[in-house]
Amino acid sequence: MNPRNATLSIDGKPIELPTLDGSLGPAVVDTRTLGSHGCYTYDPGFLSTASCSSGITYIDGEQGLLYYRGYPIEQLAEKSDCLEVAYLLWHGELPDAAQKRAFDQLVTHHTMLHDQMLSLFKGFRRDAHPMAVMVSIIGAMAAFYPESSDVTDAQQRGISMFRLLAKVPTVAAWSYKYNQGMPFTYPQNRLGYAENFLYMLHATPCEDYVPNPTLARALDRIFILHADHEQNASTSTVRMAGSSYANPFACIAAGTACLWGPLHGGANESALAMLEEIGDISRIGEFVNRAKDKTSGFRLMGFGHRVYKNMDPRAAIMRQTCHEVLDELGLHDDPLFKIALKLEKIALEDDYFIEKRLYPNVDFYSGIVLRALGIPTSMFTAIFALARTAGWIAQWNEMIETPGHKIARPRQLYTGPQRREFVGIGER
Ligand code: CMC
């Protein structure tokens, strides 16, 4: 018996299961052969299940570490930019100068949407949530690029990857413009990725907009921090949808839908709303008590994480970015930032949060930065989706390229009725 194997005993019969080692992190027990013994593992919510192998992102939740392709997030946030990070996520290595220029050039020159898509936007109610619009328009791109459905063709996959990375910011910006009843602003090829997004949001045909470099850098950093996060709910959704070889635009639309929820990408919107509701430092205690009271149904939004049981490294970078942005704008006394800092301090000293190992996550501070950039709350999750697109695409492509591909098909523990006979309507 191999001492590294796990042994499971079912009805007294031992079953040996091999363990698999990753390059970092805990080993996993390979349960793939269990089905042939007539049993399955049960793990709703994937609390202890690795759904795939991946070489893209590594998180150590105990220590609060996040690496993209081995590079610590702190170094990337400080020294890189979001397109370089996208290149890294897709290709596994940082680009050299010529590769970087070519990559930036390709993304920059695919930012326009097909003109017919304007009619799609115009079909929505003006008050449609930007995420509802994004889910639809991203999915609808499959109809504009039907050749993208051939996902076994690496060249087609590559074209779709660039189209998504380049066009999703335009979709996000236009979903906002449409909300506001304003004309759509076309992307500008002279601008960088984050600058161009700010431009599309804030420029109008009557008024030019010159992006402030500090603010554009802060937004770029938000894009970097949100670019990937291993097998989170939306990324797993993209992989699940893609596992059937569905069209890539449809898969990214599925991921966008999953991200929308308040327990995932919607938390930045809820975190800022919570800080606004708290309104004053004197009311923090009341909200902390509500979060501790299980009957209240209230949680501190922007706190806690399935994987991080220590400080989310992205939250620390975001806190620093808050300082930089608010300083640049002369908003040193921003009341919401003061509430956030104090709330973090109080919660981190509270036994409930200490025992449950609940720390601020990336969404706790990102809302304050986005608000300072003049971005409305309803756009926060859309920006998360925009940023995560780079990672979703990398994970989707990795899944398709990995040999031995299988459609995702979880099993279940059936708890419904046993076989029974149909009774005609008159006899029920
Ligand atoms: N405030 C108060 N209590 C909390 C909180 C919170 N924010 N988060 C978790 N808890 C408690 C929870 O009540 C539970 O207590 P008990 O064990 O007594 O029942 C315990 O901590 C574990 O919580 P859980 O919901 O079982 O943990 P999870 O891993 O399933 O959920 C989470 C993780 C992020 C959904 C959760 O912490 C949460 O709802 N946080 C608020 C929403 C939020 O900030 N989401 C953004 C996540 S980061 C961005 C992203 O990756 O999408």
Side-chain angles (χ1 to χ4, degrees):
M1 199 179 272
N2 182 340
R4 293 229 50 228
N5 284 359
T7 310
L8 190 69
S9 173
I10 297 176
D11 295 335
K13 280 193 225 133
I15 301 171
E16 252 196 89
L17 299 167
T19 49
L20 305 176
D21 290 313
S23 47
L24 279 175
V28 298
V29 178
D30 181 352
T31 57
R32 281 175 293 182
T33 55
L34 262 186
S36 63
H37 297 277
C39 66
Y40 304 102
T41 55
Y42 178 66
D43 187 15
F46 297 95
L47 295 174
S48 308
T49 297
S51 60
C52 63
S53 61
S54 175
I56 300 176
T57 293
Y58 173 73
I59 302 174
D60 182 328
E62 289 296 320
Q63 295 190 58
L65 304 177
L66 169 61
Y67 302 161
Y68 293 164
R69 299 285 191 181
Y71 293 102
I73 192 68
E74 292 81 1
Q75 293 182 20
L76 294 169
E78 190 195 331
K79 299 179 181 158
S80 188
D81 66 60
C82 69
L83 288 188
E84 186 171 58
V85 166
Y87 184 103
L88 173 69
L89 292 172
W90 292 10
H91 297 288
E93 295 298 335
L94 289 165
D96 63 24
Q99 289 166 330
K100 171 80 166 79
R101 257 195 316 279
F103 191 83
D104 287 4
Q105 169 88 354
L106 261 175
V107 175
T108 306
H109 288 83
H110 284 87
T111 46
M112 270 208 302
L113 302 187
H114 191 293
D115 210 42
Q116 192 67 19
M117 282 191 200
L118 259 73
S119 327
L120 295 180
F121 279 93
K122 291 186 176 161
F124 286 99
R125 280 168 48 144
R126 284 282 177 189
D127 60 355
H129 193 287
M131 286 298 280
V133 177
M134 283 186 75
V135 169
S136 316
I137 304 268
I138 294 173
M141 280 190 204
F144 288 83
Y145 308 110
E147 66 284 1
S148 61
S149 287
D150 186 1
V151 298
T152 56
D153 178 342
Q155 199 192 349
Q156 283 304 335
R157 284 205 308 278
I159 295 170
S160 301
M161 289 164 78
F162 274 107
R163 282 190 171 134
L164 277 158
L165 190 64
K167 293 182 201 300
V168 166
T170 313
V171 176
W174 285 17
S175 66
Y176 169 64
K177 285 294 192 192
Y178 186 71
N179 255 193
Q180 300 298 301
M182 287 192 195
F184 299 127
T185 316
Y186 283 84
Q188 294 293 315
N189 290 354
R190 67 189 153 82
L191 297 174
Y193 196 76
E195 287 177 325
N196 183 47
F197 182 68
L198 285 172
Y199 174 87
M200 286 191 289
L201 275 188
H202 297 311
T204 72
C206 337
E207 186 93 32
D208 195 13
Y209 173 86
V210 181
N212 170 319
T214 306
L215 304 189
R217 178 74 194 123
L219 185 61
D220 192 274
R221 197 172 292 158
I222 289 183
F223 293 165
I224 293 174
L225 297 185
H226 289 84
D228 198 48
H229 214 223
E230 52 123 299
Q231 307 312 318
N232 56 85
S234 57
T235 301
S236 301
T237 303
V238 170
R239 279 184 177 261
M240 173 78 98
S243 76
S244 70
Y245 287 161
N247 179 283
F249 296 97
C251 296
I252 302 302
T256 308
C258 177
L259 186 82
W260 191 357
L263 298 187
H264 193 3
N268 50 15
E269 206 175 315
S270 320
L272 191 76
M274 180 191 74
L275 293 174
E276 279 168 346
E277 200 191 335
I278 295 175
D280 191 85
I281 286 184
S282 63
R283 296 191 62 207
I284 291 177
E286 179 194 323
F287 279 75
V288 169
N289 288 338
R290 260 177 74 197
K292 287 157 50 177
D293 174 6
K294 285 277 178 300
T295 61
S296 72
F298 172 78
R299 287 185 170 199
L300 278 193
M301 297 314 284
F303 257 82
H305 200 276
R306 170 64 61 80
V307 183
Y308 293 118
K309 301 301 167 200
N310 201 324
M311 190 77 179
D312 176 345
R314 303 167 303 168
I317 300 168
M318 227 44 261
R319 197 203 297 113
Q320 178 55 29
T321 307
C322 269
H323 281 294
E324 289 166 20
V325 166
L326 297 174
D327 282 353
E328 173 72 13
L329 296 170
L331 300 171
H332 319 272
D333 289 329
D334 182 75
L336 289 196
F337 188 37
K338 284 192 162 169
I339 294 172
L341 288 172
K342 188 76 184 168
L343 174 58
E344 176 183 342
K345 188 168 182 307
I346 292 177
L348 292 185
E349 286 167 358
D350 189 291
D351 285 348
Y352 174 94
F353 291 88
I354 295 170
E355 268 164 31
K356 297 193 186 301
R357 306 179 72 190
L358 300 169
Y359 291 82
N361 59 52
V362 66
D363 290 327
F364 190 62
Y365 287 108
S366 61
I368 297 174
V369 175
L370 292 172
R371 179 169 137 277
L373 299 182
I375 296 173
T377 319
S378 65
M379 280 298 289
F380 287 6
T381 315
I383 285 169
F384 192 160
L386 182 175
R388 185 56 58 85
T389 299
W392 285 334
I393 301 169
Q395 300 267 353
W396 168 80
N397 195 48
E398 180 187 61
M399 176 196 62
I400 304 227
E401 279 182 347
T402 302
H405 175 77
K406 287 252 183 268
I407 186 170
R409 182 29 174 113
R411 305 300 298 222
Q412 64 169 9
L413 175 67
Y414 176 69
T415 57
Q418 297 192 346
R419 184 193 158 112
R420 49 187 170 161
E421 305 309 320
F422 182 81
V423 180
I425 195 159
E427 290 135 52
R428 282 175 222 160

